Amino acid sequence: MKPEDKTNSDKVKQLVNTSLLDKSLPEIKDLVKGKWELISGKNNSQLCEFENTYIEFDGDNYIWIEDGKSEPGKLNWRKSDTGAGYEAFLMDAFYETNPAYPVYIKGDTLAIQDCTKTAYLYTLVKSEE
């Protein structure tokens, strides 16, 4: 494969438009792998915006990067009820006591839903770093 072919292949991977709710865990891990910038979390009445905050996913592990400080953690993937009437692969990327699950990827945007009472839908954008 020529170097320019690899670049085109990477671009194709970034332009995925798919729900992650019906994917197997290996597929989800592959699709979310990499560094994502956390942009916002919102629900019906609130919007939280983030700056200089990233999450790097790598299989069963993640690194939370905020203001240049890195904090590694385990995702602890498991299939369970989301509290919204269906099951999904839950992970501990935001809060260990309140898991979240990846919902979809549209282009360079990843959506992750948390299972807290506030039920934030987080928006992350693929990082070029």
Side-chain angles (χ1 to χ4, degrees), residues 7-19:
T7 302
N8 289 339
S9 170
D10 289 345
K11 286 181 184 174
V12 168
K13 188 170 183 173
Q14 288 180 352
L15 297 177
V16 171
N17 288 303
T18 189
S19 168

Side-chain angles (χ1 to χ4, degrees), residues 12 27 35 44 62 68 76 84 92-93 95 98 101 126-127:
V12 168
E27 287 175 294
K35 189 173 184 180
N44 290 336
Y62 72 94
N76 299 316
D92 297 335
Y95 306 102
N98 296 299
Y101 55 95
K126 190 76 167 174
S127 176

Side-chain angles (χ1 to χ4, degrees), residues 85-103:
Y86 54 89
E87 287 191 343
F89 284 102
L90 306 183
M91 61 180 175
D92 297 335
F94 295 104
Y95 306 102
E96 198 170 311
T97 55
N98 296 299
Y101 55 95
V103 180

Side-chain angles (χ1 to χ4, degrees), residues 17 23 33 45-46 48 52 62 71 100 110 119 125:
N17 288 303
K23 301 287 185 269
K33 185 175 182 169
S45 60
Q46 297 173 311
C48 293
N52 301 316
Y62 72 94
E71 204 173 301
L110 168 63
V125 175

